[in-house]
Amino acid sequence: MASASAPARGRAPARDVAGLGVGRAFGFVAPAFLLIGAFLIFPAVWTIYIGITNYRLTGVEAVSPSIVGLSNYTKALNDALFHNALWLTLVFVLGSAIIGQNILGFTLAWILRRTRPAVRRTVEAFTLLAWILPSTVVAYLWVAFYDRDGGTLNSLLGTQGTAWLIDYPMACLVVFNTWRGTAFSMMLYSSALQAVPPSQLESARMVGASGWQTLRDVVFPHIRGHVLTNTLLISLWTANDFSPFLLTKGGPNHESETVPVYIYNVALQGGELGYSSAISFLLLIANLLVSLVYLRLLRRRS
Amino acid sequence: MTRRSLPTTPAFVLRRIGFYVLICAITLFFAVPMLWIASAPFDASPGLGVHWPDWTLENFRKTFEHPYAMHSMVNSLLICVTTALAVTAFAALASYALSRVRVPGRDALLYGLLLLSSVVTGTAAMVPIFVMMFQLGLIDSRFGVALVMTGGLLPAAIFILKDFVDAVPKSYEESARVFGASTGQILRDVVLPVARPGLATIMVWAFVNSWGNFLVPFLLLRSIDKQPGAVLMQTLTDEGGSVNLQVLPVFSLLFSIPVVVLYLLVNSRYGFRFHGGIKS
């Protein structure tokens, strides 16, 4: 996902400076669009079809599917495990993205704004490292951190014998994902805060405004758009994140089975490709709605 | 930062202390979990809580001797280099044409690309992609994995690259054309050298994104000797036993090096920061 601005409207396209010609230009875009069509657009559209069939995977043989109408969707309506997955995804997004990454990211951007460069670079280096390490590595370093017998957390807190991932799976996931994603919000808010005129901050200080008042009345109006778009974007990523699978596989007893993990378990463990496609399609629709709002806000800002 | 004469009221001193306590707390929150990746690979008895490591290189020997560990790095390299090259080549061609030629419906197309890259995530498309590859007979093929990843990364890549190409002055190409250079020559001798930073950025971005991708190879690859590093780590933990306690930390460390090195390289040369990838 590029954090680029939405395409500018109304700008006349360039003249054909290299003498490509429209025909050859199509040749240039063809390979990219063939791949995008085959591996993004086609699967997305095909989900609709698989979702209205009873396609099943049994062992190595796929049973030829037949159309069952909307029964997969009515099944989802009454499926307690699916409701559970929706609820857990909401907890995951609210806890780790909207609250965790957002607030921690903003706090970091705000307090590092005027600290010594050495301090700022050190703190930024650690947050960025958490952001760029491969997700599987990060997942296992947290598994080791939470571990019952040799985990760093139990050593630090003196709570020997606590199996964190089994006793408090969602809390573990929220902390893990906050840790992993904060850097993005921090960098975004760092650049957003540069748009706040120093003169306004200065005058707020002169009239003796408290820190909270300054934040609310001087800073926030300048970065409102950034807060909104950032929140939408990181929520979208978090709702689609598969890494909970790496820490808990959705367990114990479905207690951390977010929608992505549920889709996987229904499809690949249970073999119910039709039903899991119906849920995938619902996720696609949700992604589409969030993305449309996000792009609209982005355009309005630029 | 300008040095002002600072007031030293008790309230101010307290605020200062609080401020530094907060910074230290946040830094610790980010640093402490990383202790494992820094110390466990060199520790003779990992998994015994926080202690000064009992320095050894035994774990490295075990990792190099492991039948699949280093082999999976080769798989990762194969898959990710293929993906990075394909993404860069196809995105370069497409973004150049979109930037320079009046292709009908161009703006709608770019908008659609941006939508696609955020809507069709790996998770949302995992079932249809699995079924599709299953029916194409591309399950358990590293090439198939690279294809799927390339398709997934292309929209964002075209979008980012187009910004780079738009920034290349068109007068260069125009004057080359006036002097009678062919399109091929213009691309090779005029556009490519100027767009090199953008291409390098996209290549690294695609490589890093596919290097960390777990879901696609996990779905599509069955045999352990074809698994890239990201999936092998899962296999090592599922096995259990003492082997992985020695191998997993070392493997994590080695597996992280390419990503960190590439990031530092690009950052120092172009001062570029990663946009979020299509994280799946």
Side-chain angles (χ1 to χ4, degrees):
Chain A
M1 171 79 217
S3 59
S5 51
R9 265 194 300 197
R11 212 184 41 199
R15 281 173 303 123
D16 186 0
V17 287
L20 272 179
V22 173
R24 206 178 322 173
F26 274 114
F28 270 43
V29 297
F33 281 84
L34 273 175
L35 281 168
I36 291 171
F39 295 108
L40 276 182
I41 300 172
F42 176 70
V45 174
W46 207 27
T47 313
I48 304 173
Y49 167 72
I50 307 174
I52 56 168
T53 67
N54 61 356
Y55 199 178
R56 293 188 56 85
L57 199 68
T58 46
V60 287
E61 272 301 304
V63 179
S64 61
S66 56
I67 294 197
V68 291
L70 293 178
S71 69
N72 284 325
Y73 292 91
T74 49
K75 183 177 171 181
L77 272 179
N78 305 312
D79 178 5
L81 282 177
F82 176 57
H83 301 171
N84 173 62
L86 283 176
W87 164 245
L88 292 175
T89 308
L90 185 70
V91 170
F92 190 47
V93 168
L94 204 67
S96 68
I98 297 177
I99 295 173
Q101 293 176 18
N102 230 346
I103 291 187
L104 194 56
F106 179 81
T107 307
L108 276 169
W110 180 251
I111 64 178
L112 293 177
R113 196 169 43 99
R114 295 174 54 193
T115 46
R116 293 187 184 83
V119 175
R120 192 179 70 227
R121 270 199 296 270
T122 309
V123 181
E124 274 183 355
F126 277 117
T127 47
L128 272 174
L129 193 57
W131 167 253
I132 60 174
L133 285 177
S135 58
T136 35
V137 170
V138 174
Y140 293 119
L141 91 91
W142 278 87
V143 168
F145 184 79
Y146 288 135
D147 189 55
R148 192 186 57 181
D149 300 318
T152 316
L153 190 58
N154 278 337
S155 301
L156 288 177
L157 302 178
T159 48
Q160 246 51 33
T162 310
W164 295 94
L165 282 170
I166 291 171
D167 295 347
Y168 313 99
M170 275 322 284
C172 287
L173 289 180
V174 165
V175 173
F176 148 82
N177 200 45
T178 300
W179 186 87
R180 194 170 60 125
T182 292
F184 182 80
S185 300
M186 177 187 75
M187 294 188 297
L188 196 133
Y189 288 136
S190 287
S191 62
L193 281 172
Q194 301 190 339
V196 183
S199 58
Q200 288 186 17
L201 289 173
E202 193 61 26
S203 37
R205 230 167 47 93
M206 298 296 254
V207 299
S210 72
W212 286 120
Q213 284 170 323
T214 311
L215 272 183
R216 197 188 59 210
D217 302 330
V218 181
V219 178
F220 188 69
H222 285 286
I223 61 166
R224 185 181 289 129
H226 293 274
V227 173
L228 252 160
T229 48
N230 181 54
T231 305
L232 283 173
L233 191 58
I234 59 180
S235 299
L236 183 83
W237 287 341
T238 305
N240 284 275
D241 188 16
F242 196 67
S243 27
F245 179 88
L246 296 167
L247 279 92
T248 64
K249 290 205 165 64
N253 191 24
H254 307 286
E255 279 172 49
S256 60
E257 197 171 44
T258 54
V259 169
V261 182
Y262 189 56
I263 290 175
Y264 175 84
N265 285 340
V266 168
L268 277 296
Q269 304 297 312
E272 295 183 79
L273 296 174
Y275 181 44
S276 59
S277 282
I279 299 175
S280 299
F281 182 64
L282 294 176
L283 181 61
L284 278 172
I285 296 294
N287 287 347
L288 182 66
L289 292 176
V290 174
S291 302
L292 285 171
V293 175
Y294 168 78
L295 286 176
R296 166 155 301 189
L297 285 171
L298 214 60
R299 266 198 179 170
R300 192 183 302 164
R301 209 171 70 204
S302 60
Chain B
M1 185 174 154
T2 53
R3 288 235 165 268
R4 294 189 308 268
S5 58
L6 292 169
T8 47
T9 55
F12 174 81
V13 172
L14 269 179
R15 255 219 315 272
R16 257 343 219 181
I17 292 173
F19 176 78
Y20 277 109
V21 167
L22 182 65
I23 286 194
C24 285
I26 292 177
T27 312
L28 280 176
F29 170 65
F30 282 103
V32 168
M34 286 179 194
L35 286 177
W36 178 80
I37 211 172
S39 71
F42 308 97
D43 193 345
S45 47
L48 290 175
V50 178
H51 61 285
W52 190 246
D54 189 355
W55 299 107
T56 176
L57 289 178
E58 179 63 13
N59 302 338
F60 281 82
R61 200 177 58 80
K62 275 274 196 306
T63 307
F64 294 138
E65 284 174 357
H66 191 276
Y68 300 112
M70 294 331 274
H71 186 67
S72 77
M73 294 269 186
V74 177
N75 288 335
S76 277
L77 268 177
L78 275 175
I79 292 170
C80 298
V81 169
T82 309
T83 304
L85 289 176
V87 167
T88 310
F90 296 151
L93 288 173
S95 58
Y96 183 75
L98 288 173
S99 169
R100 295 292 194 260
V101 184
R102 215 186 282 268
V103 182
R106 189 188 65 163
D107 284 358
L109 206 110
L110 283 167
Y111 186 80
L113 280 180
L114 203 56
L115 261 186
L116 263 183
S117 63
S118 63
V119 173
V120 190
T121 56
T123 339
M126 99 174 104
V127 182
I129 282 180
F130 174 80
V131 174
M132 185 171 110
M133 298 307 264
F134 185 83
Q135 298 197 336
L136 288 173
L138 279 171
I139 293 287
D140 213 24
S141 143
R142 280 163 293 192
F143 180 67
V145 171
L147 273 182
V148 170
M149 284 186 184
T150 304
L153 292 172
L154 268 173
I158 293 172
F159 209 88
I160 300 170
L161 254 188
K162 190 184 160 290
D163 273 352
F164 275 102
V165 181
D166 280 344
V168 175
K170 295 178 188 62
S171 51
Y172 296 2
E173 289 142 84
E174 277 165 350
S175 43
R177 238 180 112 55
V178 169
F179 284 103
S182 70
T183 304
Q185 281 173 316
I186 292 179
L187 284 183
R188 199 183 58 234
D189 301 331
V190 180
V191 183
L192 200 62
V194 187
R196 195 168 286 149
L199 294 177
T201 299
I202 282 295
M203 205 178 293
V204 167
W205 173 87
F207 183 89
V208 167
N209 261 290
S210 48
W211 189 259
N213 190 321
F214 167 79
L215 183 57
V216 176
F218 180 64
L219 270 182
L220 301 179
L221 296 175
R222 290 280 164 266
S223 18
I224 190 169
D225 60 316
K226 289 180 182 169
Q227 286 175 0
V231 181
L232 188 84
M233 289 180 71
Q234 170 77 19
T235 314
L236 287 177
T237 30
D238 281 354
E239 277 175 2
S242 61
V243 168
N244 74 47
L245 258 190
Q246 292 183 299
V247 172
L248 203 58
V250 175
F251 191 83
S252 297
L253 186 65
L254 296 177
F255 193 62
S256 305
I257 288 171
V259 177
V260 175
V261 167
L262 280 173
Y263 175 80
L264 290 173
L265 196 81
V266 172
N267 205 26
S268 65
R269 282 194 62 166
Y270 308 117
F272 142 86
R273 293 180 149 178
F274 280 103
H275 313 270
I278 302 172
K279 300 176 65 101
S280 49

